[in-house]
Each structure stands twice: as structure tokens, then as C-alpha cells.
Amino acid sequence: MTEESTTGSEGGEYLSRKVIVATENGLHARPAGKLAQEAQAFQADISLVCDDQEADAKSILDILTLAAGPGNVVELRASGVDAEAALERLEQLFANKLEG
Amino acid sequence: MADSIITGIPVATGIAIGKAFFVNRSHAANLPRQTVAARLVGDEIDRLHDAFKTVVQELAAIREQMPEELKSHGSLIDTHLMMLKDPKLSGAAEEYIKSLGLNAAWALEKAVADQEQAFGAISDPYIRERMQDVRVVADKVQTKLMGVEVDMTAISGRAIIMAHDLTPADTVELQADKIMAFATVRGGKTSHTGIMARSLAIPALVGVEKLEEKVKDGDLVVLDGLTGRIVVNPSEDELEEYNERAALFETYSRKIKRQCHLPAETFDGSRVEVLANIELVEEVAAVLDNGGEGVGLYRTEYAYLNRKELPTEDELADKYIDLASIMSPRKVVYRTLDLGSDKYIASFGELNEANPAMGLRAIRFCLKNPQLFKVQLRAILRASAYGNVSLMFPMISGVKEVRQAKAWLAQAKAELRREGVDYDPDMPVGTMIELPAAVMIAEYLAHEVDFFSIGTNDLIQYSLGVDRTNSHVSYLYQPLHPATLRSIKLVVDAAHQAGIEVSLCGEVASDPYCVPILLGMGIDSISMTPQAIPGIKRIIRQTNMHDCRKLLRDVLECRTVSRINNLVMDNIFKHFPEEVTFFSSLLENDELPT
């Protein structure tokens, strides 16, 4: 979807993309676990933003407490060496309904 | 005398006698709370991470060795693994050790409390419930930290497994051949523990609140899955009594199970259909195993709960078709959505009604939300092409409601016909009789539908004005109150007058004391939890319609509940002295508070 490079509020640069939650029940335990697992493979700091709430993409607990429902738009933010690759992979994951 | 007797909710029947063996306890209440000297903080942090790592390794190994039939629980273990690896839990605990100098187990408890707060604020009930998973993994880590671990492989013969809660991972580790029974503090009627116990054919109790307080490891306990009692350290006499009871029950249940496929026919040749109440399609195995002649009540709410979005028509139709075709040619009665009151759909939210039992529920909710209603009606109609399907509406209070509901059904049929989708145009349509109003106008309702199904659980509550879960008034919940009996009789007579069949699907149907009266009224079918079928069929096969009619006549002349209960109990004691000790009855409720 959209990609842009932004300066975050704390001065750090991050890359950002917007994705849609397409899983039937939103970011429930299984998709949240899958997402955290994939995110942990990258060095970059990755976060999810939904309704002004930010969650660490590497934390299943954080993702769960975001309580993102089906159809919600979520912004992925990443900064660090492999930020680009991380966003690429996670966007694909969202497109596959967090199944593969 | 026994040390103590505690009670819980029986989820699998039987009687077991053995040694208590605790496999997991909740540590929150008796956690060591100490501070750690500054120079030892580093060591304490290492201890924390080591404990996390060990639990991860053990769980991963269990995941690896999971037998095929339990693989469906694998994703729950994956979730637990991700939580264990989550820096939000272990990292937060580490922070508490560093900043406050707490011992590791306490620091973890504080990290759990933080999560509890975060999860508590979430409106989605499914996600909120995941907090229980956080609790489970934290308990496992705390067990390691406190060195109170139990080696499950050390379970020796005749163990009664006690736990705060049993997770699928726990049950994989347990050696089934040595386990006599389960008891847990947590859990309701539909919990994993019950499913496990029934598949192992051992008794189980859940919701035993005082379990951790009253039972110690190694205590000799009797677990009675018929009455829901746990007797801790029984006396010699009590033990002997229970040993005998267990042996008798064993013989009795083998006998009734052997005969459960015989028809429910009285000595003098009257047949009653004995059907099952189910909630999940998977339960058909239990229905057929126990000699159920069909499904008299399929509760369809499950597919709507614990999720954000409504189920689609295809999703529902898949399930409904499965059920209809597996049971075919046996009958399946689909009850349309009975939500509202205690259960509600996430996407509609809680209704905030002052009095939900009298609020927007069941058919009222469906008629207010016709789109949702029609999706379900279409799915049920589609299933009707695959088997012997009937449909019924819950909570009907008047003729107009039935006509409205039937109008939506007619519209759904017309749509399917236009689309060229198959359905059974003659699918029987019935209504439940649960409200006193429906009883009084049963004569009119009988002209609108093909059958009645009396839902006695609600009917008793509404006619006696008693919420049976309210302990202040639950003594007034009297299934054989003269008003209840007259209501049932009125409905049965109205149905038969109009030439339609009448079924009964409340707990009364599986109460051995009440069944002879129902037979006397001439009820056409009764529907109950699958496990109760063999026992009830046996009672029917050993009674005489003539005696039942006589009993009914006598009972209808009584003015008080206690007189009725006495008559009914005498009848059973006279005819079924052998079984009587294994019955648990709704009638035992009959005592005034002092």
C-alpha cells in the first residue's frame, strides 16, 4: 500500500506502511502469535499503530491488547538496518491473512 | 467422619477413590514475597530467565510429541510459547527485580498484574479471556522458581488429579492409565477438563472452589461425579460405603449402556422418543453411543459467541449440513438463535438491560435483527435438503410473533427457490413453550405450528418467578410445583387436541423421578444431555403406562409440592430400588432455608 519515510516524534526516522486486518476475528491469539514470531526474526524495531495506540510487533501481549478488529487499518512502523525487509515481509503476512 | 466434604460441578459421571495428586496450583495467593540484596539482583535475574527458558523447552517438547488426536490443541500451546518468549512479560519482571529488588516470583506476579490491567480494558471478550493464558504460563514459571514442581511421570496408581486448571498441555503429560478422576478449581460445564474426562471415561468435577484449601497432596479422597462431592480422608465406614457404591455404579452403568440401543418402550407397549440436547456437532458421537434416537434440541448459539464478526451463511450451512447428514435419517431439531440475557453477540454489544431475562432476547432479538435472522434461517433450510431437519423458535409469547417469524422463513424459502438452492419445503416448524403466556394460549399456538417443545428450565423460572441461580430464592425452584405440572399438562393436551406432537427438553426430561409423570401426560418425546439417555431409557422400559397415568392423576390432586415429591419418590423407590442411589434429582432442592 502506501509507503513513506517519516521523522517520528522522538526524532528517529522510520518507514511506514498501512495494512488492513483481514483475519476473520481480528488480531486474536493465533494471528497475533504468528505476527510476533515473524517480527522477532528482524533486528529492526517494529511497531503497529491502530487508533492512536502503539504496540510492539514482537510482543504477542502487546498485539493482543491492541484489540484490532477485522477491517481495521493498522500502520506498520519500522526503523533499523532491515526495516525495509521487515515491512515487506509483514505486509505480505497481512495480505495472506496472517497464515503464511 | 471425613475431614471435609467439598462440592463442585460434575462434568463426567462415575465414582473414584484414590490419592489426591496436585499437578498445578495457582501460586498467586501463597507466593514468597521477599526483597533481594543488591549484590544478588544479577543472580535473581538469571534465575528468572532460566525458569522461563526451562518452561519454554518443556512446552516445546510436549508440542513436538503431541499425539495426533490432540493436535488441534497445538495452537494454544503455540500461544503459550509466544507469551513465554514475550519481553513484555519476562522483561517487565526483570525490571521489577532491578528497580524494586523483588524476588523473581513476586516480580513476575507484578508483571502479570500489569497485563491484567491492560487486558481488563479490552471490550472483546475473546481477547480479554486470553488473560487466563498469561496466568497459566506465569504459574508454570513460578512453579519452577519456587521449586515446588511436580513430576507428572511420578504419578503412581489410583491418582485423582487435582489442579487449579488443566490445560491441554497438562493432559498430554498425564498418563491416562493411572488416573482415576479429575477435579479443578476453574472451569465450567464445557471446559476442556470435562471433554478429556469423558473421552477417558473417568469422573470429573470442575469449579471446586475450595479444592486447594481443603485437599492436600496424598490425601485419600472419594470423588463422586454423580453428586458433585469430594470426600476428603473418609472414615473406614464411609470408605466402605463408597467402595460398594462405586462397584454398584460400575455394574449398573455397564448394564444400562448395554441396553441403551433398545427402544424406549413401556411394558404395555407405549413408545416415547428419547432425543439428545447438543451444542456442538462433535457431540453426535455421544448421542449415537448413548442410544439417542435423534437430536431434540440443537442449540445454535455457539457459532456466534467469542468472536467479533457474525458467522456467514456458508459457515453456518456447512455445520448444519454436517449435523443433518450425519444424523440422517434420525431427526434433528434446530432451535434458532437464543441469545440476549446472559449471552450476547460481541458485535451487538451488551444491551445494558436492567432485567435481561425479560429483555430483548431469543426470538425478540432475531425479529429486531431480521438480516441476522434470515442468514440463519437460510442456513437451516439448506441443511434440510440433507436430512430429517426441523426448526423451532425460542421464547415465543404470542401468535403474532410466530407469524412474524414464519413470514421471515417464507421469505428465506422464496429466495432459495429463486436461486435454485435445494431445501425441504415440508420442513416441520415448531415453537418452544417457555413462557406462562405461551402455555395459556397453547391452543391458539397449536394451529400455527407443526410441533411444540416445552422448555421447562425457563418455564419453571418464569412461572414461579424464581431465578434458580439466586441462592436466596433457589429453594423455590420446584420442578413439580402444581403450577408447573398443570402448565405442562395444558400444553400437552392442547397439542394433542390439535393433532400435533409435543416434546420436552428441560432438565426435567432427564430427572428419573419426573419422567414417569411426563409419560403419564402422554408426551411424545423427551430430549436431554446425551449421557443421561441410557438411564432414562431403562426407566421407561421398566414402567407401565397404566401406572404412570395413575401416578399423574394422584399427583394432580395434590396441593403442595412436598406431597407431590413424596408420591413421586415413593413410586421410584418402589419400582427402582436398585438405581435410586445413583440418581441426582432436581427434587432434592426441596428444603426451606432456616
Side-chain angles (χ1 to χ4, degrees):
Chain A
M1 282 167 97
T2 51
E3 174 163 356
E4 47 185 302
S5 184
T6 324
T7 304
S9 54
E10 283 159 32
E13 287 256 313
Y14 62 79
L15 298 175
S16 146
R17 280 185 206 189
K18 286 192 174 151
V19 291
I20 288 181
V21 180
T23 46
E24 201 180 312
N25 297 313
L27 289 180
H28 272 188
R30 198 201 301 239
K34 179 79 185 159
L35 179 59
Q37 195 180 17
E38 294 277 343
Q40 283 169 10
F42 296 94
Q43 283 178 30
D45 287 330
I46 313 168
S47 62
L48 307 177
V49 181
C50 177
D51 288 342
D52 294 332
Q53 203 188 335
E54 187 164 356
D56 180 351
K58 295 179 184 179
S59 160
I60 183 175
L61 295 169
D62 242 26
I63 301 171
L64 280 173
T65 48
L66 205 56
N72 277 14
V73 175
V74 170
E75 186 186 350
L76 297 170
R77 291 178 184 173
S79 60
V81 279
D82 51 4
E84 177 74 51
L87 287 189
E88 195 62 41
R89 174 68 193 129
L90 296 188
E91 184 180 20
Q92 189 193 356
L93 197 61
F94 270 94
N96 293 339
K97 298 188 174 186
L98 293 152
E99 272 165 11
Chain B
M1 273 293 284
D3 286 357
S4 50
I5 295 176
I6 51 179
T7 57
I9 307 165
V11 286
T13 57
I15 298 162
I17 300 170
K19 286 251 157 72
F21 194 103
F22 272 93
V23 295
N24 70 53
R25 285 174 181 269
S26 170
H27 302 298
N30 52 358
L31 215 55
R33 288 161 204 263
Q34 296 142 5
T35 47
V36 186
R39 61 190 166 80
L40 294 177
V41 159
D43 291 351
E44 195 63 11
I45 291 175
D46 287 346
R47 239 167 51 78
L48 175 81
H49 290 301
D50 285 348
F52 266 93
K53 212 169 9 175
T54 316
V55 176
V56 167
Q57 282 165 356
E58 287 178 2
L59 218 48
I62 291 171
R63 174 83 166 94
E64 197 76 358
Q65 303 158 8
M66 245 184 170
E68 210 44 54
E69 67 270 21
L70 291 171
K71 278 276 194 288
S72 57
H73 298 300
S75 77
L76 181 59
I77 297 187
D78 288 339
T79 301
H80 288 176
L81 280 168
M82 288 308 293
M83 288 178 173
L84 286 161
K85 293 179 191 161
D86 195 324
K88 283 275 150 33
L89 201 58
S90 58
E94 180 180 331
E95 266 317 303
Y96 281 120
I97 302 177
K98 253 190 231 161
S99 60
L100 301 174
L102 307 181
N103 65 316
W106 188 7
L108 177 55
E109 195 55 32
K110 286 189 70 75
V112 170
D114 292 344
Q115 289 300 327
E116 238 153 36
Q117 201 164 19
F119 275 86
I122 295 170
S123 60
D124 182 340
Y126 172 85
I127 292 185
R128 216 166 45 221
E129 276 170 23
R130 298 284 72 75
M131 187 57 219
Q132 292 189 8
D133 295 308
V134 179
R135 184 71 257 172
V136 166
V137 300
D139 279 339
K140 282 185 191 295
V141 176
Q142 286 169 335
T143 302
K144 295 278 174 211
L145 287 168
M146 293 160 65
V148 288
E149 198 174 353
V150 174
D151 179 4
M152 299 232 203
T153 58
I155 295 175
S156 55
R158 304 186 74 78
I160 296 189
I161 301 299
M162 314 247 154
H164 189 71
D165 198 4
L166 279 174
T167 65
D170 291 330
T171 46
V172 171
E173 261 185 286
L174 296 166
Q175 291 160 294
D177 54 328
K178 291 179 180 164
I179 296 170
M180 309 295 295
F182 290 129
T184 64
V185 177
R186 230 185 245 157
K189 278 216 150 130
T190 53
S191 65
H192 178 75
T193 310
I195 297 167
M196 271 300 291
R198 287 194 296 270
S199 73
L200 295 170
I202 57 175
L205 304 181
V206 299
V208 190
E209 282 171 19
K210 296 197 174 140
L211 191 66
E212 290 169 302
E213 194 181 309
K214 297 283 187 190
V215 188
K216 293 186 305 296
D217 255 316
D219 278 348
L220 182 64
V221 295
V222 175
L223 186 147
D224 189 335
L226 303 166
T227 57
R229 284 197 191 105
I230 293 180
V231 185
V232 188
N233 294 322
S235 67
E236 284 283 314
D237 287 353
E238 284 170 317
L239 194 59
E240 198 176 322
E241 192 184 307
Y242 271 104
N243 261 320
E244 204 174 310
R245 181 167 153 84
L248 285 173
F249 180 72
E250 183 69 15
T251 318
Y252 167 73
S253 43
R254 236 182 280 135
K255 182 165 65 188
I256 60 170
K257 198 73 190 269
R258 259 201 319 271
Q259 301 171 342
C260 78
H261 296 285
L262 299 171
E265 187 175 308
T266 61
F267 276 142
D268 41 359
S270 282
R271 278 287 292 270
V272 180
E273 230 180 343
V274 180
L275 309 168
N277 299 344
I278 65 168
E279 183 156 9
L280 300 173
V281 177
E282 291 75 34
E283 287 176 274
V284 292
V287 177
L288 298 174
D289 269 1
N290 286 296
E293 295 164 2
V295 173
L297 168 62
Y298 171 44
R299 302 187 174 96
T300 58
E301 292 73 43
Y302 194 81
Y304 293 80
L305 299 171
N306 288 338
R307 56 187 291 163
K308 276 196 166 165
E309 280 204 324
L310 294 171
T312 63
E313 181 187 319
D314 283 345
E315 191 186 333
L316 292 176
D318 272 354
K319 275 202 191 81
Y320 296 174
I321 288 171
D322 272 354
L323 179 59
S325 30
I326 301 169
M327 289 304 293
S328 177
R330 298 177 191 83
K331 156 156 95 177
V332 182
V333 183
Y334 294 65
R335 180 181 69 189
T336 61
L337 207 50
D338 189 4
L339 283 173
S341 187
D342 51 340
K343 297 176 187 158
Y344 58 90
I345 304 179
S347 48
F348 288 83
E350 236 166 321
L351 295 167
N352 268 326
E353 297 172 303
N355 197 347
M358 298 195 178
L360 186 64
R361 49 170 292 206
I363 196 67
R364 306 167 179 180
F365 179 83
C366 287
L367 292 174
K368 264 261 167 76
N369 297 284
Q371 280 318 314
L372 163 145
F373 190 36
K374 223 164 64 186
V375 166
Q376 186 179 35
L377 293 175
R378 284 178 53 112
I380 296 173
L381 280 167
R382 281 167 61 181
S384 70
Y386 292 82
N388 182 355
V389 170
S390 306
L391 173 154
M392 66 183 177
F393 305 118
M395 277 286 282
I396 290 290
S397 66
V399 169
K400 188 172 168 197
E401 257 174 349
V402 183
R403 289 186 182 159
Q404 279 175 329
K406 278 170 66 189
W408 286 113
L409 183 66
Q411 205 185 92
K413 283 185 180 173
E415 285 173 15
L416 291 176
R417 197 161 47 235
R418 267 201 308 279
E419 294 161 24
V421 181
D422 270 352
Y423 65 89
D424 173 9
D426 301 319
M427 176 182 72
V429 176
T431 169
M432 291 202 64
I433 305 285
E434 297 155 284
L435 295 172
V439 171
M440 297 315 292
I441 58 161
E443 179 193 342
Y444 302 149
L445 290 172
H447 292 291
E448 307 289 326
V449 292
D450 305 312
F451 66 94
F452 282 160
S453 181
I454 309 175
T456 45
N457 295 1
D458 274 334
L459 181 59
I460 297 168
Q461 300 205 76
Y462 286 118
S463 30
L464 303 182
V466 168
D467 171 4
R468 65 191 281 208
T469 62
N470 176 342
S471 59
H472 300 293
V473 292
S474 58
Y475 69 97
L476 286 172
Y477 182 89
Q478 294 155 328
L480 298 187
H481 191 290
T484 319
L485 289 176
R486 278 159 200 240
S487 297
I488 298 175
K489 176 135 199 324
L490 207 153
V491 174
V492 174
D493 292 347
H496 289 166
Q497 193 88 53
I500 66 170
E501 290 201 345
V502 55
S503 173
L504 189 145
C505 66
E507 273 173 72
V508 168
S510 60
D511 194 310
Y513 294 95
C514 302
V515 166
I517 297 187
L518 301 178
L519 295 181
M521 295 202 190
I523 204 112
D524 298 291
S525 62
I526 48 180
S527 193
M528 65 202 74
T529 168
Q531 284 73 24
I533 292 173
I536 294 298
K537 268 192 157 180
R538 184 175 157 80
I539 298 220
I540 297 172
R541 290 173 45 75
Q542 311 231 338
T543 34
N544 236 314
M545 206 51 167
H546 180 78
D547 296 341
C548 294
R549 289 204 190 96
K550 163 95 173 60
L551 177 68
L552 177 69
R553 271 198 305 275
D554 293 345
V555 155
L556 284 174
E557 280 174 17
C558 298
R559 297 186 180 196
T560 65
V561 179
S562 21
R563 272 202 59 115
I564 294 178
N565 285 356
N566 286 341
L567 274 179
V568 165
M569 288 195 179
D570 280 352
N571 171 64
I572 289 287
F573 280 112
K574 201 162 78 194
H575 293 102
F576 304 93
E578 179 195 10
E579 281 98 339
V580 112
T581 67
F582 306 123
F583 296 160
S584 58
S585 170
L586 294 162
L587 309 186
E588 280 152 20
N589 193 22
D590 180 32
E591 42 192 85
L592 276 161
T594 43

